[in-house]
Amino acid sequence: MTDPRQRQTGIIEYWRAVELFSPQKVPAVSVRDRVCSVTADGPLPWEEGHPLRSVPLDPGYAWQHVVYGGTYRLRAVRDTLLAVFGESEEDHDGRMDGESALFALTVTDEGRLVLDSPVLSTCAWATGRALAPGPGRRGWLDGFDSTPAT
């Protein structure tokens, strides 16, 4: 019979892996929701000359901007995981469309970083770990919390 503690550990490791491989989608660009993309040569939303600077806000409100960096297609993650783990008939998850980002952070209307806002993608990190060292190695999904942010 299996040791209950080993079984519990296995269950916790499974759900931790599910969480690591669950990316947050980058929202689609929408004028209605006041979401916008920027071009390489255009002003950033907190700089003079950007169209959002002329949008009036209600008293007591100020702009905050979420910046997404290193966007990637979720389908690429799915394809990588299928190459590593193989495919079964249950592997057709419609949620794997869209894009995610390597990181996201929030800045003020003046372009200053909002403390404690930066978030790194566990999905991108875990997908890299699926390739090297790979799931055949013990503890292959350990270490995200100790990975230095350089």
Side-chain angles (χ1 to χ4, degrees):
M1 182 171 237
T2 306
D3 179 4
R5 286 177 292 191
Q6 284 180 330
R7 202 166 133 208
Q8 235 177 5
T9 300
I11 292 169
I12 290 169
E13 287 176 359
Y14 169 80
W15 284 109
R16 182 173 169 271
V18 167
E19 184 65 26
L20 285 172
F21 285 106
S22 297
Q24 299 297 312
K25 287 187 179 181
V26 172
V29 175
S30 167
V31 174
R32 186 177 144 257
D33 295 332
R34 295 185 179 174
V35 174
C36 65
S37 61
V38 295
T39 60
D41 58 348
L44 298 170
W46 50 89
E47 295 177 330
E48 287 302 320
H50 192 279
L52 283 179
R53 301 297 291 178
S54 64
V55 174
L57 293 175
D58 292 333
Y61 287 87
W63 284 109
Q64 279 193 336
H65 309 282
V66 179
V67 178
Y68 296 95
T71 58
Y72 59 91
R73 294 194 179 279
L74 295 177
R75 185 156 306 281
V77 171
R78 182 179 188 278
D79 292 346
T80 300
L81 295 179
L82 288 174
V84 170
F85 294 106
E87 187 170 4
S88 74
E89 291 183 23
E90 299 171 3
D91 289 331
H92 300 287
D93 189 347
R95 294 176 294 173
M96 291 301 279
D97 289 333
E99 291 186 330
S100 191
L102 296 177
F103 70 90
L105 54 88
T106 303
V107 297
T108 67
D109 64 334
E110 296 172 337
R112 293 192 176 111
L113 177 67
V114 173
L115 296 178
D116 296 328
S117 72
V119 178
L120 297 175
S121 170
T122 61
C123 182
W125 178 86
T127 302
R129 298 289 292 181
L131 295 171
R137 186 162 177 192
R138 185 179 178 103
W140 69 285
L141 284 177
D142 293 344
F144 177 79
D145 293 335
S146 62
T147 302
T150 54

